[in-house]
Amino acid sequence: MIYVRDIINICNGELYCGKKNLACKYFSKDTRVINEGDVYVGIKGESFNGNDFYKDAIDKGASVCILDNDTKIIDKYKDSGATIVLVDDTIGCLQKLAKYKRSLYDIPVVAITGSVGKTSVKDIIYSVVSSKYKTLCTKGNLNNHIGVPLTILELDKHEALILEMGMNHAGELHTLSNIANPTVSVITNIGTAHIGNLGSRENILKAKLEILDGVNHDALVINNDDDMLRTVKYDNIITVGIDNDSDYMAYDIEDKVFSSSFYINDEYVKLPVGSRAFVYNALLAYAVGRKLGITPDEIKDALKNFKLTPHRLELIDTGKIKIIDDTYNASMDSVKNALGLLSKVDNRKVFIFGDILELDEYGEDIHREIGNAVIDNKIDVLITVGDLSRYTYEVVSETDLKCYHFDNNKELLENIERILDDGDMVLVKGSHGMKLVDVVDYLKKRYK
């Protein structure tokens, strides 16, 4: 348990008002969802200052507020009964408290990073680990320098912790690893996500390997079929793969549209989701499970009952059309994987594709390569939206395939009904910032 006195000692804080011995159990940075008794942390963002909302937090029952020391406190809130602690840097304070909280727990901590599939791998590893241990897991996309500490601070009577760790620039995973001190780290792959920031896949690999900078590592689990990860040298490495000799290998793969089955070493595994990517996800989860002492039968049951996170290859049947909602995010590799899945269906195959962001000078080449993937997978109809996806459209427009391009989602929705037919299978995918989930929501209502 963390107490107000710990905040003062660990973060060099000043008790502005309130009680030093008050326990701090739940931490929040969002007054919209804060609960009575929570600790509110004021975070200064690019376009807002969370310190300014301490009044809302107290009015909603926050027992403690951690604020930047230049915050002007109104007198009535000094006498409100709430405890207010002032610190030099609330984000730095949050991170220090999380590091301290982590030090109180001698439990397995699994950290997951990679260019593609972090959230799906996190979810499937959670399914396996929680079959044996009371497990805390990253919620949603809380995988950055704020979200990871907030997750760690939720530790209570947990026996294991699963953390997704994202990064855009070098140095970020170093910080997260030193806060979380993982015992097992997982790297899914080295792709092109954030290549605009890091410049090359070699630099992406170097940045991803910062996940090893914590002090408690017992093992590193990697996808041995990834050409970059295959070069990694580490004392305690566990490899998984399909094509290259590995500690855990999948074979006799039956990859259907929305299910798959295969053997991992000598164990027969079934998954309620298709695609080769999820075979790799299952391999990583299997390796982690065995490392944590979970039996093969327990792991197989967990994999069989695994449930996808919404907006991750989520199948939606409206009655008139079927939608594969993969709008959570996008990279070149995840787009190719989703197209491979779409290619297996018997229905007319429609691909609604929005820009992949954060590619900088690599944007045109990657979107043109996706155009070739659309052709190779024999997609019947391509619908692109955004600036960069125009390059995908240009490649496909040179063939006989039907294709359409729109500048924005509004234009797309104004024209979608003349393009789609009853019975279509529609894959919707693009970077989160393209807001293609709005397109999915429209299609669900319109095609009931």
mmCIF file of all heavy atoms in Angstrom, residues 209-225:
data_model
loop_
_atom_site.group_PDB
_atom_site.id
_atom_site.type_symbol
_atom_site.label_atom_id
_atom_site.label_comp_id
_atom_site.label_asym_id
_atom_site.label_seq_id
_atom_site.Cartn_x
_atom_site.Cartn_y
_atom_site.Cartn_z
ATOM 1 N N LEU A 209 14.712 -3.324 -27.923
ATOM 2 C CA LEU A 209 15.535 -4.080 -26.984
ATOM 3 C C LEU A 209 15.772 -3.332 -25.674
ATOM 4 O O LEU A 209 16.274 -3.916 -24.711
ATOM 5 C CB LEU A 209 16.870 -4.452 -27.629
ATOM 6 C CG LEU A 209 16.783 -5.556 -28.695
ATOM 7 C CD1 LEU A 209 18.114 -5.722 -29.405
ATOM 8 C CD2 LEU A 209 16.335 -6.879 -28.076
ATOM 9 N N GLU A 210 15.386 -2.061 -25.636
ATOM 10 C CA GLU A 210 15.445 -1.330 -24.365
ATOM 11 C C GLU A 210 14.532 -1.952 -23.320
ATOM 12 O O GLU A 210 14.673 -1.672 -22.121
ATOM 13 C CB GLU A 210 15.052 0.134 -24.577
ATOM 14 C CG GLU A 210 16.045 0.942 -25.383
ATOM 15 C CD GLU A 210 15.535 2.343 -25.675
ATOM 16 O OE1 GLU A 210 14.470 2.711 -25.138
ATOM 17 O OE2 GLU A 210 16.190 3.075 -26.432
ATOM 18 N N ILE A 211 13.608 -2.799 -23.752
ATOM 19 C CA ILE A 211 12.722 -3.475 -22.799
ATOM 20 C C ILE A 211 13.525 -4.354 -21.841
ATOM 21 O O ILE A 211 13.050 -4.718 -20.770
ATOM 22 C CB ILE A 211 11.650 -4.302 -23.550
ATOM 23 C CG1 ILE A 211 10.443 -4.560 -22.638
ATOM 24 C CG2 ILE A 211 12.229 -5.594 -24.100
ATOM 25 C CD1 ILE A 211 9.250 -5.134 -23.359
ATOM 26 N N LEU A 212 14.765 -4.676 -22.206
ATOM 27 C CA LEU A 212 15.630 -5.506 -21.369
ATOM 28 C C LEU A 212 16.396 -4.685 -20.332
ATOM 29 O O LEU A 212 17.192 -5.251 -19.569
ATOM 30 C CB LEU A 212 16.636 -6.262 -22.246
ATOM 31 C CG LEU A 212 16.046 -7.239 -23.271
ATOM 32 C CD1 LEU A 212 17.144 -7.809 -24.145
ATOM 33 C CD2 LEU A 212 15.289 -8.356 -22.563
ATOM 34 N N ASP A 213 16.177 -3.376 -20.287
ATOM 35 C CA ASP A 213 16.986 -2.518 -19.416
ATOM 36 C C ASP A 213 16.602 -2.598 -17.943
ATOM 37 O O ASP A 213 17.305 -2.056 -17.093
ATOM 38 C CB ASP A 213 16.913 -1.056 -19.894
ATOM 39 C CG ASP A 213 17.645 -0.851 -21.205
ATOM 40 O OD1 ASP A 213 18.325 -1.787 -21.650
ATOM 41 O OD2 ASP A 213 17.524 0.249 -21.791
ATOM 42 N N GLY A 214 15.485 -3.231 -17.619
ATOM 43 C CA GLY A 214 15.153 -3.475 -16.215
ATOM 44 C C GLY A 214 16.106 -4.495 -15.613
ATOM 45 O O GLY A 214 16.898 -5.133 -16.319
ATOM 46 N N VAL A 215 16.024 -4.710 -14.312
ATOM 47 C CA VAL A 215 17.052 -5.505 -13.637
ATOM 48 C C VAL A 215 16.613 -6.924 -13.290
ATOM 49 O O VAL A 215 17.412 -7.719 -12.826
ATOM 50 C CB VAL A 215 17.500 -4.799 -12.329
ATOM 51 C CG1 VAL A 215 18.136 -3.467 -12.641
ATOM 52 C CG2 VAL A 215 16.327 -4.621 -11.361
ATOM 53 N N ASN A 216 15.356 -7.271 -13.502
ATOM 54 C CA ASN A 216 14.841 -8.551 -12.997
ATOM 55 C C ASN A 216 14.635 -9.616 -14.061
ATOM 56 O O ASN A 216 13.972 -10.614 -13.815
ATOM 57 C CB ASN A 216 13.498 -8.326 -12.279
ATOM 58 C CG ASN A 216 13.679 -7.632 -10.945
ATOM 59 O OD1 ASN A 216 14.755 -7.658 -10.383
ATOM 60 N ND2 ASN A 216 12.628 -7.003 -10.456
ATOM 61 N N HIS A 217 15.179 -9.441 -15.265
ATOM 62 C CA HIS A 217 14.830 -10.342 -16.362
ATOM 63 C C HIS A 217 15.267 -11.779 -16.127
ATOM 64 O O HIS A 217 16.404 -12.060 -15.761
ATOM 65 C CB HIS A 217 15.446 -9.829 -17.669
ATOM 66 C CG HIS A 217 14.565 -8.845 -18.361
ATOM 67 N ND1 HIS A 217 14.646 -7.511 -18.135
ATOM 68 C CD2 HIS A 217 13.547 -9.016 -19.242
ATOM 69 C CE1 HIS A 217 13.735 -6.882 -18.852
ATOM 70 N NE2 HIS A 217 13.047 -7.772 -19.524
ATOM 71 N N ASP A 218 14.311 -12.667 -16.361
ATOM 72 C CA ASP A 218 14.581 -14.096 -16.302
ATOM 73 C C ASP A 218 14.545 -14.714 -17.689
ATOM 74 O O ASP A 218 15.116 -15.778 -17.908
ATOM 75 C CB ASP A 218 13.546 -14.769 -15.389
ATOM 76 C CG ASP A 218 13.893 -16.215 -15.094
ATOM 77 O OD1 ASP A 218 15.087 -16.516 -14.973
ATOM 78 O OD2 ASP A 218 12.966 -17.042 -14.989
ATOM 79 N N ALA A 219 13.856 -14.041 -18.644
ATOM 80 C CA ALA A 219 13.770 -14.595 -19.994
ATOM 81 C C ALA A 219 13.302 -13.532 -20.981
ATOM 82 O O ALA A 219 12.558 -12.614 -20.630
ATOM 83 C CB ALA A 219 12.809 -15.781 -20.030
ATOM 84 N N LEU A 220 13.738 -13.688 -22.224
ATOM 85 C CA LEU A 220 13.251 -12.906 -23.363
ATOM 86 C C LEU A 220 12.629 -13.871 -24.350
ATOM 87 O O LEU A 220 13.272 -14.842 -24.772
ATOM 88 C CB LEU A 220 14.400 -12.142 -24.030
ATOM 89 C CG LEU A 220 14.084 -11.493 -25.376
ATOM 90 C CD1 LEU A 220 13.050 -10.383 -25.222
ATOM 91 C CD2 LEU A 220 15.354 -10.937 -26.035
ATOM 92 N N VAL A 221 11.373 -13.643 -24.714
ATOM 93 C CA VAL A 221 10.663 -14.489 -25.672
ATOM 94 C C VAL A 221 10.529 -13.717 -26.978
ATOM 95 O O VAL A 221 10.043 -12.582 -26.995
ATOM 96 C CB VAL A 221 9.265 -14.872 -25.138
ATOM 97 C CG1 VAL A 221 8.568 -15.829 -26.106
ATOM 98 C CG2 VAL A 221 9.363 -15.492 -23.750
ATOM 99 N N ILE A 222 10.960 -14.333 -28.093
ATOM 100 C CA ILE A 222 10.927 -13.640 -29.388
ATOM 101 C C ILE A 222 10.344 -14.538 -30.475
ATOM 102 O O ILE A 222 10.359 -15.763 -30.381
ATOM 103 C CB ILE A 222 12.332 -13.177 -29.831
ATOM 104 C CG1 ILE A 222 13.253 -14.391 -30.059
ATOM 105 C CG2 ILE A 222 12.936 -12.199 -28.840
ATOM 106 C CD1 ILE A 222 14.510 -14.060 -30.832
ATOM 107 N N ASN A 223 9.866 -13.870 -31.522
ATOM 108 C CA ASN A 223 9.434 -14.533 -32.746
ATOM 109 C C ASN A 223 10.678 -14.789 -33.598
ATOM 110 O O ASN A 223 11.258 -13.873 -34.176
ATOM 111 C CB ASN A 223 8.434 -13.622 -33.477
ATOM 112 C CG ASN A 223 8.050 -14.145 -34.841
ATOM 113 O OD1 ASN A 223 8.546 -15.174 -35.298
ATOM 114 N ND2 ASN A 223 7.176 -13.428 -35.511
ATOM 115 N N ASN A 224 11.087 -16.036 -33.681
ATOM 116 C CA ASN A 224 12.329 -16.394 -34.360
ATOM 117 C C ASN A 224 12.210 -16.371 -35.876
ATOM 118 O O ASN A 224 13.216 -16.515 -36.583
ATOM 119 C CB ASN A 224 12.767 -17.804 -33.900
ATOM 120 C CG ASN A 224 14.244 -18.038 -34.093
ATOM 121 O OD1 ASN A 224 15.047 -17.138 -33.910
ATOM 122 N ND2 ASN A 224 14.608 -19.261 -34.455
ATOM 123 N N ASP A 225 10.995 -16.178 -36.394
ATOM 124 C CA ASP A 225 10.821 -16.050 -37.844
ATOM 125 C C ASP A 225 10.996 -14.611 -38.312
ATOM 126 O O ASP A 225 11.011 -14.350 -39.521
ATOM 127 C CB ASP A 225 9.434 -16.558 -38.262
ATOM 128 C CG ASP A 225 9.336 -18.072 -38.179
ATOM 129 O OD1 ASP A 225 10.386 -18.729 -38.043
ATOM 130 O OD2 ASP A 225 8.209 -18.599 -38.240
#
